[in-house]
Amino acid sequence: MEETSTRLAHLIEERIGMQAKLSIPRIAAMLETMAPAARQTWSKSLLDSQPDDPSWLDFIEDIFNHETFFFRHPRQLQHLAENVLPDLIRARRQRGETRFRVWCAGCSSGEEVHSIALLVRQSLASPEGGGVGQWDLEFLGTDLSSRILDTARRGHYVASPGLNSFRDIPDYAQDWFRAVLHEGRDVWSPDPDLARRMRFLPHNLTCDPPPLGDVDLVLCRNILIYFNLRHAHAAIATLAQALRPGGILVLGPADGLREAPGLEMVCDPQAVVWRKREAA
Ligand SMILES: C[S@@+](CC[C@H](N)C(=O)[O-])C[C@H]1O[C@@H](n2cnc3c(N)ncnc32)[C@H](O)[C@@H]1O
């Protein structure tokens, strides 16, 4: 059983980046629940599967960690709103450009995309931004899991007890989350004006090319922490390729990347972000 878990975990690592040691306990627990004959059939079919086979996709759905919530890492987002976004917007306006693109890679059910969209809109609405109306805004959320992307597209966020999407809204963002009573439950629906500027697409960070280019801001938070070094570097190269020169990459505080070709680290007490070199 141990050998089966290890072989499946290595196939996961190869295909989606998650380090084998992280998935082995989960796979072992799945195998425990099966009769010995069923274990063999199940594992053989997965080991022989293609990455887009429904059985493989169902299997990795059980392995993923989709945890996310609105305004996760609030101090980092506040730093973006107060320092990074104004710089990016100023640079766009100095060039006479009015397009602003954001890509959230590994966006799960979309809370991260809505959080950054609310902050971008606030920055553009300020006198320095010149007003939202003149901007061509685009927010792309991607994830490997088609199932979680369906949730993101539905954009229907229910305040359930416990680990819900609203568990840690910082004071500065409270105004955007006045719950709306809907069919007897507290539900938050995205701002329609922002939602129509959002797209959610499948994308595998370990092997797919960037889904768009000339991006001003890329967020890829709480994903690389699961990857081995080789896949983390491949993902960083893809994220960097999507950025326009001077564009910004934001990782999660625990993602722990030390070097990224073509990018320079911009350190601040509140956040570590990476900027694509102008000459790159
Ligand atoms: C822990 S969630 C983080 C969500 C969000 N970025 C946040 O910080 O709240 C990690 C997400 O990464 C996705 N993911 C895992 N491996 C991936 C890969 N190889 N390519 C794209 N997305 C991946 C998972 O499906 C999951 O939704």
Side-chain angles (χ1 to χ4, degrees):
M1 213 157 73
E2 207 178 302
E3 195 201 324
T4 309
S5 307
T6 305
R7 287 180 68 198
L8 281 169
H10 280 289
L11 191 57
I12 290 178
E13 181 163 329
E14 195 49 43
R15 288 181 175 176
I16 68 170
M18 181 187 275
Q19 294 172 55
K21 65 177 184 203
L22 299 177
S23 61
I24 285 174
R26 177 84 192 103
I27 301 167
M30 289 175 175
L31 288 164
E32 283 284 351
T33 65
M34 296 176 200
R39 277 179 205 152
Q40 220 185 352
T41 320
W42 180 76
S43 53
K44 182 168 181 340
S45 78
L46 290 174
L47 289 166
D48 292 344
S49 68
Q50 296 300 310
D52 55 355
D53 282 357
S55 60
W56 174 260
L57 296 174
D58 282 347
F59 168 56
I60 56 173
E61 276 300 335
D62 287 335
I63 301 290
F64 283 138
N65 167 8
H66 291 311
E67 184 183 2
T68 188
F69 46 97
F70 291 108
F71 283 83
R72 187 174 192 176
H73 310 313
R75 279 158 44 128
Q76 184 188 48
L77 291 180
Q78 190 173 6
H79 173 75
L80 288 185
E82 289 173 359
N83 302 289
V84 176
L85 289 175
D87 283 353
L88 287 173
I89 290 164
R90 200 173 308 116
R92 274 291 194 202
R93 291 190 83 194
Q94 275 166 1
R95 290 190 166 97
E97 297 164 345
T98 52
R99 198 183 64 199
F100 200 87
R101 279 185 170 168
V102 180
W103 174 25
C104 290
C107 68
S108 187
S109 38
E111 288 87 334
E112 187 175 55
V113 188
H114 292 289
S115 305
I116 192 68
L118 289 163
L119 291 175
V120 168
R121 185 178 62 179
Q122 174 184 258
S123 292
L124 297 178
S126 70
E128 296 74 37
V132 185
Q134 63 164 290
W135 288 86
D136 176 8
L137 276 178
E138 188 178 350
F139 301 95
L140 176 67
T142 61
D143 202 283
L144 186 57
S145 160
S146 299
R147 235 178 264 175
I148 204 72
L149 288 172
D150 285 342
T151 308
R153 287 187 197 103
R154 264 198 307 281
H156 187 77
Y157 298 97
V158 180
S160 51
L163 289 182
N164 71 50
S165 302
F166 308 90
R167 75 186 80 154
D168 199 17
I169 307 282
D171 286 348
Y172 69 81
Q174 285 288 342
D175 279 352
W176 288 313
F177 291 91
R178 302 268 170 242
V180 179
L181 201 61
H182 176 83
E183 293 169 3
R185 294 186 303 169
D186 279 337
V187 174
W188 184 83
S189 296
D191 182 300
D193 183 53
L194 284 179
R196 76 181 170 79
R197 300 165 195 258
M198 285 177 196
R199 286 184 302 146
F200 292 97
L201 297 176
H203 180 267
N204 185 344
L205 271 166
T206 63
C207 56
D208 290 341
L212 82 173
D214 206 22
V215 179
D216 295 276
L217 178 65
V218 172
L219 274 73
C220 181
R221 305 188 307 162
N222 308 302
I223 299 154
L224 300 187
I225 190 174
Y226 300 108
F227 282 16
N228 66 20
L229 208 54
R230 178 167 68 87
H231 283 108
H233 282 146
I236 289 291
T238 304
L239 300 166
Q241 203 184 332
L243 281 171
R244 69 191 315 245
I248 291 287
L249 169 65
V250 183
L251 302 176
D255 286 321
L257 192 79
R258 299 205 178 277
E259 57 180 79
L263 302 173
E264 58 194 357
M265 202 193 260
V266 188
C267 275
D268 187 276
Q270 301 302 326
V272 177
V273 299
W274 298 78
R275 183 188 296 120
K276 184 162 177 173
R277 293 198 176 92
E278 291 285 346

